[in-house]
Every structure is written in structure tokens, then in C-alpha cells.
Amino acid sequence: MEGASYARMPRVKIRELKDDYAKFELRDTDASIANALRRVMIAEVPTIAIDLVEIEVNSSVLNDEFIAHRLGLIPLTSERAMSMRFSRDCDACDGDGQCEFCSVEFHLRVKCMTDQTLDVSSKDLYSSDHSVVPVDFSDPAATDSSENRGVIIVKLRRGQELRLRAIARKGIGKDHAKWSPAATVTFMYEPEIHINEDLMETLTLEEKREWVDSSPTRVFDIDPVTQQVMVVDSEAYSYDDEVIKKAEAMGKPGLVEIIAKQDSFIFTVESTGAIKASQLVLNAIEILKQKLDAVRLSEDTVEADDQFGELGAHMRGG
Amino acid sequence: MDGGWKTDDGIQMVDGDNFRPKCIYVAVMMRRIMDAILNKDAMDDKDYVGNKRLELSGQLISLLFEDLFKSMTTEVKNLTDKMLDKPDKARNFDMSTNIITLGLERTLSTGNFEIKRFRMERKGMTQVLQRLSFIGAMGHMTRVSPQFEKSRKVSGPRALQPSQWGMLCPCDTPEGEACGLVKNLALMTHVTTDEEEGPLISMCYLLGVEDLELLSAEELHTPDSFLVIFNGLILGKHRKPLRFAAAIRKLRRDGKIGEFVSVYVNEKQHCVYLASDGGRVCRPLVIADKGISRIKQHHMKELVDGVRTFDDFLRDGLLEYLDVNEENNALIALYEGDATSETTHIEIEPFTILGVIAGLIPYPHHNQSPRNTYQCAMGKQAMGNIAYNQLRRMDSLLYLLVYPQRPLLTTKTIELVGYDKLGAGQNATVAVMSYSGYDIEDAIVMNKASLDRGFGRCIVMKKYSAVIQKHSNDTSDRILRPNRTADTAGRMQILDDDGIAAPGEILKPFDIYVNKQSPIDTRTPKSGSAANLPDSAYRSNAQSFKGHGGEVIDRVVLCSDKDKNMCIKFLIRHTRRPELGDKFSSRHGQKGVCGTIVQQEDFPFSEKGICPDLIMNPHGFPSRMTVGKMIELLGGKAGVSCGRFHYGSAFGERSGHADKVEAISETLVSKGFNYSGKDFIYSGITGCPLQAYIFMGPIYYQKLKHMVLDKMHARGSGPRVMLTRQPTEGRARNGGLRVGEMERDCLIAYGASMLIYERLMLSSDPFEVQVCTACGLLGYYNHKLKTGICSSCKNGDNISTMKLPYACKLMIQELQSMNIVPRLKLADA
């Protein structure tokens, strides 16, 4: 059963890491793994979001469903989400999703008493669990905290009131986008750019400048000293082929050779704030592992052999 | 002297015994006829807009009033005569009739103008304003309907008339039978109203018109003399028509005479036409003296500062209104720069030749013309904001968008009409590519995450009402407090204690929303107090909700209707997210239904992290030739990346009201995009880059009011029509789906006889009949004797039983009732 191992050891190199932003390189693997990671980050990393709203009083201009929808889309801090239960699998509450293991309760009570428009925002939501609260987007460096009021839910005029109870539950982005922790997850193949120096030298400075400017992004530049074209930022290249077309138009095909490296990816991950971008990546890897475990469990069983026959054996490396 | 007057047909009327003006009028008419016979060019064009008059409400109402007033006077006279014939003349006599009130009310509520006195019989003269969308309402108010029937097969009146330039929108017309006949006003069109004629006529004589009375026929048609015709009436002649016209124009510009009086010198007919009548279309133009615009920089600055308004321009003689005829005496330059020394006027803006609705289309001048027409029809069906008071209204049907946006690519018209404040659509990031195969035939693929976040989400509000009827015997319906223990309690959960559903409650199908009871006996007069009927005298007349479930009661209004009955109105709200089959459209006549909804992770993405909201198939472009949509995408993309709304007004590239593609491309490149708007895209399924660059960017998409939820329908068994026992027709009656003649033909051709048998009889109206094989007539089944009996043979000897469509049995019997005897001959009985 022991075959040649095709296992590769992917490497990750973190380039930039902020609370809600991460940029890293993923090397020594292929597009399927990179894409699996991306898909899991978007759709399968769990977070907590408001799922049930009971409205007691709503005399605002927006109707109940409207407000419920807006509440659902407010990101909540979800560090707890991985260890929390889905309310559908919760034993403690028979799946009605109202127990402390699978849900968090929120209250909102606002009434406008002045002639000024009152903004009801995510900061007015009171959580029963201090670890699950609406994400605070305010810049910690900013001194003026009165300016920052969180995500606006509705605006009230004098005499209007909003009173409601909301239940937040664990969920995944596949079910509803409100549970997706990812604002942006994208990757690109790392480009490898080779400038044909000999051919480049046949160009005049003006032609070089023209060629450099033909790229919509600043990939190349001219060294002010040596007047040589050099690659400033290879990752700014967006595979638009503009420079290659330009080179052909100038009668110098092969001036530059650009290859997308098939085994290195540059990931950009932006989080909604529900979980930290770094945690998002780690959780995604964890979930990916769990999914693979599910596959491995079934490979031992006899049914797999019956079901897949030769294919099953092949899958096990036979 | 009196200038004479005319009938409604415009023909000179005789003033006393003086037949001379009429003679001359008839002679001039004959002259024109002969002229037309000799020279076809002199023929008048009846489709020419200058020869048309729009009828306005004032004229029509005055006609109606005249008719009703005359009817009233005759009626009063008849009543008086009758009264005077009676012996007791001293009795007090009420001669008030309400003919006028009733007549006006009836005509205005039905819209049928039937005025015998003026031989007028027209339908649909009053219409209820379409309030389904803001743009629909605007479009409806600018509509011009023809008075002759639409069935006539003539192309002339339907064709685009060059003279409608600037007056009537060239794009906005319906498709189908009313095509080209129903028109819409252009953006700056003004329709004139009647102006007093007397002062204008005496002014003409002062300005050198020689009176008709003083001229001989020979003098009238000397080569240098021009007939002066005022509102279709010959006033006399003038030797210096140009000087005369110039004098009148000067008076008009100085505000001495009305701004809508028009003068027009027709060199060919040797006539000067003056018009002050109502119903002419006219439009404002900038006056130019020898090609130099009267509007100077400082005027425009004053306008921008708000010191000067449009009316001030008119009053100061910088602008004037020209009607279609007078335009023929003007040389109008499109732009100030094009003006030569002969130029008399300068256009205000070229995009104003389009109407309100066509004005919403960005870059319409880059589109194939019918596409703009299609968009004009669809823009009225788009959901969005209706009005600022939309949530306080009680319309019978209201479609709203949850998150309407203003278009990223706007036009000047959009700003002028306020569509940017009451939008009806959303800016969707569109990728033009093929995806999944569920996007053929204009279907679009939508991103599930976008829908989750509110894209295309809409609110449908429907009004239901219940009337507490007062009956003739002084009894009345009543509303009861719900009985919480009865078997119907489950359906009454949403009721308040007053028996009326509470706002905010969520409805399920068959929920009772008003627990109404009606008295069983509504005829016989009741002795004593009608309010104290026993409960047994009432039967339940509760109204139950027939909907999809998930609707919410938005508002409950109690009011009284015109018969003073209490009326309870419920506004029921349903929030819907887009689903498979909902109809969407861009602003370029490109409609499509949602073909499939795809998870975000399966959607393609760019390395910037952009993931489209919807995917449109590229086959939509080559045959439609909607280049404007492509430019909208480019402009929108440049707009979001540089943070400025881009413009796409019609013909606006030259005047700066539309951004040029070149400039847009430069913006795109400076923001790191490809100049062509194409992006390098990765497949969301495999993670591999796609082979082609994908044209991607924001396009304003409208959600149209046609939704699957309102249309989907299927039936197994269900209700049948009483007469024929065949399934009912139509979705509203839970009807069956008909296998029609053409479907039947297919099945015959295929030889599927058993299938035809099943569809046409077994699934429709099978019926067992007793047929007498002796006489061939239908018998009946006697349940006592348990045999079939032929009623004509009076026995049951030769009866056999067979199955027949009930409709066939019905036809046999109907024929029998007409003395035609169909006899059935059975082959093997």
C-alpha cells in the first residue's frame, strides 16, 4: 500500500498583518489548495450573527423585516464561534436555539426624545455575553470617541421608538452571507518577470519610457542613474499583457517574459472584524483539516470499498 | 371693425348679411386646392406637428360643460312647462337639477366623453395616474394619445416626423398597436393655452395689415402681397411680411404680447400665419442676434448664483418660445460655436429632444434605436422609490425596493427630474461572461451573497379591504372579538380583541384578518332595535388571507366609504428577495430573468478581490448593439474608482454633459485598471485564471415588477366550470393548463392517441352517458330500476353505456334544443 508520497510541504510567509488585514505568501502548493483555503475562508469559517429578532416596539420609519435584516448584517466579535455549538446540533435546548451554549441574546431599547435626529447604531445593542459584541470600528488612536457611533441601524425622530430582543447564533457563510467573516479573500499567482536586457538596450530612453508607461500598474521603472528598465513591483502586475502587446507593437517581441508561478500564491485577506484576519486563516486551515478527516474516516470502512470498488482502492493508493 | 369669427372647424362664419369674408375664405381654399393639384409640393402634410393641436383638459371640460349646461336649460324648461300645465301653479317649484354635477362626475370617473351635441364619443379620456413607479408617473403625465382609433393600418402617423424634433420624444412610444401613435412630450415642451384674440387682431391692423373689407380680389393676390392669417382666419394682407413678423416678434420679446404668440411667414404660400390658440407645442430657444447669443457669461453666473431664474431669461428677451411653425422661420444652431451670421436661435441643450423617460438612459445616442424604445417601456415597470410619502400612502399595489440607489452613471435629465433622489434600481457589478449554462437566452446569474446583503430585495404592499355593510332593513354587519377557544382560534391568532388584525402581525395562509359577521336576513324589516339581534341571526363572514405566508400587516386604516359604511383597509407588506425567474433589466432595453443563484465562493474573482454581483452572457451584445451599456460599464467603473459621478447625457460629449470614453479610459488606467474595462479573473471553482479577460464593472440594474411568486401556477385536480365541467381557466381561479389546438396537432402528428384521449377527456370532463343503440339518442340512468332508459323509445332494451366528454354531451343536448337531432351510431355495442 505504500506508494510514492506526493505530499508537499506548503510554506506560508506572512508579509503584513493587521487586525483586519493579512497578506501572506503561500508557496510549494497548487491552485486547488489555495482555492480550497479561499473558499473555506469565505463560506465555512463560522461566526456569530443575529439570526432571530423579536420586535416589541417599532415606530421608526423602517419596517420590522428591514431592521431585522440590517441587524443580521452587523458583524459581531466571534472568537467564541469555533467552540460554540450550532443551534441545530445543540442538546441543551432541543434545537430551539435559545440556550447559552448556542446563542447570545441582545437587547436594544432606544427612544428619541429630542428634536434632533437620533442615530440608532450597533453600539446601542446590549449583549448578554461580553465576548460577543458588535465590532468596534473606531480607531483606537482617535481621541474623539463621540464621532464614532458604530454601524447605523436606523435614524429616529422625536417620539419614535425601537425596542427589540435579538438572538445571535453561530453559522457559516454558505447559509447566509451575514455569517461570512471575510470581506475580501483573494489570491494571485506570483508573477516572475524576466526582462530581455539585450533587447531592452536596443531601445532609446524615450521608447523605454513609453514602454514602461504602457502598463496600467507601476510594475517597471527606469533607473534614474543607469537608465535601465527594472522591475519595481512585480506583484503590481495584473496579468493584463499590456507590456507584452506594447513590446510587440514596438516591433520587439520577447522584450519581456512573464510567467505566472504555478506554485506560489499571494493571498490578501480582509476580515469583517468578526474575527482577526490571522485567526480567519487559522480557522480556515482547521476546518479544512476537519473536512479531510471526514474523508479519511470513511476510507477505512468496508462500505467505501463496496461503494467505490476499484476506485476506492485506487484512492487509498493501491 | 369686428374681425369676424369662426366655427370650431376653423371656417369663417357669416357676420350678419356680410358674406364677403366667407367668400374670400372659400376662394383662398380653392386656390390652395388648385395649387396642390398643379404642384404636389404645395400639399399640406397632415402628420406635420405644426398642423396638430393637443387637446387639454380645459377645452374638453368647457365643451362638456357647455353640453351639460344646455341639457340643463332644456330640462329646466321642460320641468317648468310641465309645472305650468298643472292646475296648482302656486305650489313651490324646485327647478334645481344636478345634471351638471352628475354629468361631470360621471364623465370624469369613467373617462367616457359622450357629447352628442358635438358628435364626440371618446373613451379613456381620464386615466388614473400610474403610481407603480416614480418614472411611470412622470411618463404618464407627459403622454400624448391620438384621438383616432389605433386599428388603422397607415404608416404615416406612426412614422417619426422630422418636425417633432425637440417637441415630442423620438424614443418613448409603446410597442405594438399603439406604436408611433401614442407619444410623449420632450423635456422642455410647453403646450400653449388659448389667448385672447381681440387685442392681437387690432394690433395687427395697427402694424399695417390692410383690412380684407377694403381690398378687391385682384389686390389680394398681387405678387408682393402676403395674406395675414390669424388663428386660421384671414385678416387681410400685408406688403412687408418680414417687417411685420419682425415687429410682432419684437413686441413678444419685450413682453408686450403673450410669449406663446407665434408668427410665421410662409414664402411659398405667400402667407403670414399668426397663432395664439391653445394646444400648440412649443419649446424655448436662446435668441441670437446675427449669430451671437443674447445670453452672456454674466447671465449664466447670475443663474448659478440663484439671482436669475428661467422666467427672468424669458422676460428679458434672452429666450423665447417657438412653436413648430415658427421654427421654420428660424435658423437654429445646435451649439453657440456653430452659429453663423444668419443664425437666429441657439439650442439650449441637445439632450432635451428626449423626454423624461428616455432621458434616464445613459449614452442613448450610442445604442441601437429600438433598444431605447424598449427601455422606455421597461423603465416604467422598475421598482424603486415611488414618492417621498410612499410609506404613508394606501395604494392598492405598491412595489418598493429595500435599498434603492442613484445611478453611478447619471445624465442631466436624471438630475433635472429628480431620479437621483427617487431611484429605481441598484448599481450591480456585472461581469460579462458565460457561466454555468444557466445564462442562455438573456438569463443572468446572481451572486447569493449579494442577495443576502440586500441586492434586489423588494417590498410588495397590497391593500385588502373589508366593508361593514349596512343593509336595507337597518341591520348591519358586525365585527366580533375572536373566540379564543373555538376551532377557528388557530386562524384568528393575529386578531386583536377588536376583531381586526393588528399591525406587525405575520400572516399565514388562510389566517382571518377581520372577524366579520353578517346578518342572515338582510331584507325583511326588523321590529325594534336592529342592533339587538341574537347571535343566531348572524353568520360568519370572516375574511381570510390568501397569500404565500410570511406577509406582514403594515397598517390598518378605518374610514367610511362613499355610502357611509365603515371600511377597514389593511396594507399588507411582503418583503421578497430575488429568486429564480425574477425579471431584471439594465437601462438599455436588455431584460433578463435570474437563471440561477450561485454561492459567492463559486463566483469568479479578481486579484483585487472584486467579485461580481451578477453575470451577464456576452451574447446579449452583438445583435442588440447596445454600445451605451458598455460605455455605462466603463464610466461606472471609472466612477467608483475615482469617486465622481460620471455623466452620459444624450449627445453630451460635445457640451461636456457626457464623459468621453477616452477620458474614462484614462481614469481607469490611472486607477490601475485596464483601459478597456477588462479584468484578469480567476475561476471561483478551480482557482485557475480564466482564459479570457472579463469585461467587468458596475451597471445600473432595475428590478422589474414581474416576479415568479406572482405568476407561478400548477394544478392537479381542482375547480371546474359549472356549465361544461371542464377545469377552470387562469391562475386566479386555480385553473388547469390547456392542451390547445396546436399542442393537440403535435400529438396527432406524433400518433400519441392515448395521450390525447387522456388529456382531452379523462383529465378534463369525462362523463358516462346512456346511449340508445336503436335510436341513437341519449338516455338516462334510472337509479330505482338500476338500468339505463331511453326517453324517446320509452324502454331500456337497447341501452349501452359509454364515456363522453361532458362538453360533447352538452353540445348534443343544445343541438336538440334547437331541433337538430344528432344521433350516435355505436360501432360495437
Side-chain angles (χ1 to χ4, degrees), chain A residues 35 38-39 43 61 63 65-66 69-70 174-177 184 186-189 216 237-242, chain B residues 402-403 448 452 457 459 573 575 599 601-602 605-607 669 673-674 680 682 684-687 689 693:
Chain A
N35 196 40
R38 181 191 73 90
R39 291 168 62 90
V61 286
N63 60 47
E65 305 96 281
F66 204 143
H69 179 232
R70 292 182 72 84
K174 203 171 237 177
D175 293 330
H176 194 283
T184 307
T186 183
F187 61 79
M188 66 181 286
Y189 287 86
Y237 182 66
S238 59
Y239 294 98
D240 47 28
D241 279 358
E242 284 303 314
Chain B
V402 173
Y403 293 107
K448 178 169 170 287
D452 287 342
R457 193 168 282 236
I459 302 171
R573 154 178 29 106
T575 308
Q599 295 281 349
E601 63 268 22
D602 289 337
F605 61 98
S606 80
E607 59 197 32
V669 170
F673 287 99
N674 189 291
F680 185 71
Y682 296 85
I685 301 172
T686 64
Y693 296 105

Side-chain angles (χ1 to χ4, degrees), chain B residues 482-495 511-512:
Chain B
N483 182 355
R484 303 288 184 201
T485 55
D487 348 324
T488 51
R491 292 164 60 204
M492 294 204 191
Q493 275 175 349
I494 59 159
L495 294 182
D511 269 352
I512 288 170

Side-chain angles (χ1 to χ4, degrees), chain B residues 429-593:
Chain B
T429 301
V430 179
V432 181
M433 60 181 276
S434 176
Y435 188 91
S436 81
Y438 286 96
D439 60 350
I440 52 167
E441 291 289 335
D442 286 325
I444 52 177
V445 178
M446 303 192 86
N447 183 335
K448 178 169 170 287
S450 303
L451 305 187
D452 287 342
R453 293 181 180 118
F455 177 77
R457 193 168 282 236
C458 68
I459 302 171
V460 180
M461 305 255 232
K462 233 180 200 165
K463 190 178 75 187
Y464 292 80
S465 45
V467 183
I468 305 306
Q469 201 82 45
K470 283 198 193 96
H471 298 287
S472 51
N473 60 350
D474 278 354
T475 57
S476 114
D477 296 351
R478 60 175 189 174
I479 303 177
L480 273 196
R481 167 199 287 257
N483 182 355
R484 303 288 184 201
T485 55
D487 348 324
T488 51
R491 292 164 60 204
M492 294 204 191
Q493 275 175 349
I494 59 159
L495 294 182
D496 258 349
D497 276 348
D498 60 0
I500 301 172
E505 292 287 353
I506 300 170
L507 286 156
K508 296 184 294 295
F510 308 111
D511 269 352
I512 288 170
Y513 58 86
V514 54
N515 190 23
K516 193 171 77 171
Q517 289 194 327
S518 300
I520 294 165
D521 183 10
T522 57
R523 294 276 169 79
T524 45
K526 286 279 173 304
S527 55
S529 171
N532 294 331
L533 282 174
D535 280 351
S536 59
Y538 286 97
R539 67 186 157 79
S540 173
N541 194 9
Q543 291 192 342
S544 68
F545 174 69
K546 286 160 198 77
H548 315 282
E551 285 95 334
V552 183
I553 296 184
D554 194 65
R555 214 154 1 122
V556 178
V557 173
L558 302 183
C559 59
S560 59
D561 65 3
K562 63 176 189 293
D563 301 321
K564 302 269 161 48
N565 291 321
M566 182 164 86
C567 193
I568 308 158
K569 292 178 178 170
F570 298 87
L571 199 64
I572 289 179
R573 154 178 29 106
H574 191 197
T575 308
R576 301 175 182 177
R577 54 179 287 167
E579 56 176 332
L580 230 70
D582 281 1
K583 199 172 172 188
F584 290 84
S585 143
S586 70
R587 284 181 292 169
H588 303 269
Q590 303 249 50
K591 55 175 181 266
V593 292

Side-chain angles (χ1 to χ4, degrees), chain A residues 235-270:
Chain A
E235 277 146 39
Y237 182 66
S238 59
Y239 294 98
D240 47 28
D241 279 358
E242 284 303 314
V243 278
I244 294 167
K245 282 185 208 153
K246 182 71 186 173
E248 278 168 14
M250 290 165 87
K252 310 269 180 189
L255 190 62
V256 71
E257 194 183 13
I258 304 174
I259 314 160
K261 279 204 219 157
Q262 292 299 314
D263 60 348
S264 337
F265 305 90
I266 298 152
F267 263 82
T268 311
V269 177
E270 271 179 61

Side-chain angles (χ1 to χ4, degrees), chain A residues 30 101 237 285:
Chain A
D30 52 22
F101 300 107
Y237 182 66
I285 294 169

Side-chain angles (χ1 to χ4, degrees), chain B residues 132-300:
Chain B
L132 279 172
S133 69
F134 169 66
I135 273 310
M138 295 289 273
H140 201 178
M141 288 188 285
T142 58
R143 196 154 308 152
V144 180
S145 306
Q147 41 170 279
F148 50 86
E149 75 276 23
K150 290 162 182 172
S151 54
R152 269 200 286 171
K153 276 213 177 99
V154 276
S155 65
R158 294 174 189 269
L160 195 61
Q161 252 283 330
S163 59
Q164 77 181 58
W165 163 280
M167 305 288 180
L168 298 168
C169 179
C171 294
D172 195 0
T173 177
E175 298 160 58
E177 60 161 15
C179 186
L181 297 176
V182 172
K183 299 174 177 56
N184 280 273
L185 297 181
L187 204 60
M188 289 205 296
T189 314
H190 179 96
V191 184
T192 60
T193 47
D194 280 314
E195 211 160 308
E196 215 182 326
E197 298 182 345
L200 287 166
I201 292 172
S202 39
M203 180 201 67
C204 288
Y205 289 126
L206 288 177
L207 288 173
V209 175
E210 295 170 50
D211 195 341
L212 200 59
E213 288 295 308
L214 313 172
L215 294 169
S216 70
E218 206 176 347
E219 282 173 308
L220 208 55
H221 292 293
T222 51
D224 67 329
S225 78
F226 277 64
L227 281 183
V228 178
I229 298 174
F230 178 83
N231 285 351
L233 197 82
I234 304 172
L235 286 188
K237 75 165 206 178
H238 201 288
R239 285 175 215 273
K240 295 268 188 319
L242 293 177
R243 188 184 288 174
F244 173 64
I248 288 186
R249 282 183 193 136
K250 179 141 180 36
L251 285 170
R252 182 180 63 199
R253 290 170 188 178
D254 291 346
K256 305 288 187 222
I257 58 173
E259 65 257 56
F260 303 115
V261 176
S262 93
V263 226
Y264 152 56
V265 183
N266 191 334
E267 300 275 357
K268 217 187 255 169
Q269 293 173 2
H270 269 243
C271 283
V272 182
Y273 289 96
L274 275 101
S276 72
D277 57 338
R280 289 170 295 130
V281 281
C282 56
R283 66 195 185 107
L285 287 165
V286 179
I287 306 171
D289 301 309
K290 295 202 164 60
I292 295 152
S293 166
R294 284 198 186 173
I295 296 181
K296 300 282 186 287
Q297 211 61 48
H298 66 272
H299 293 124
M300 294 312 291

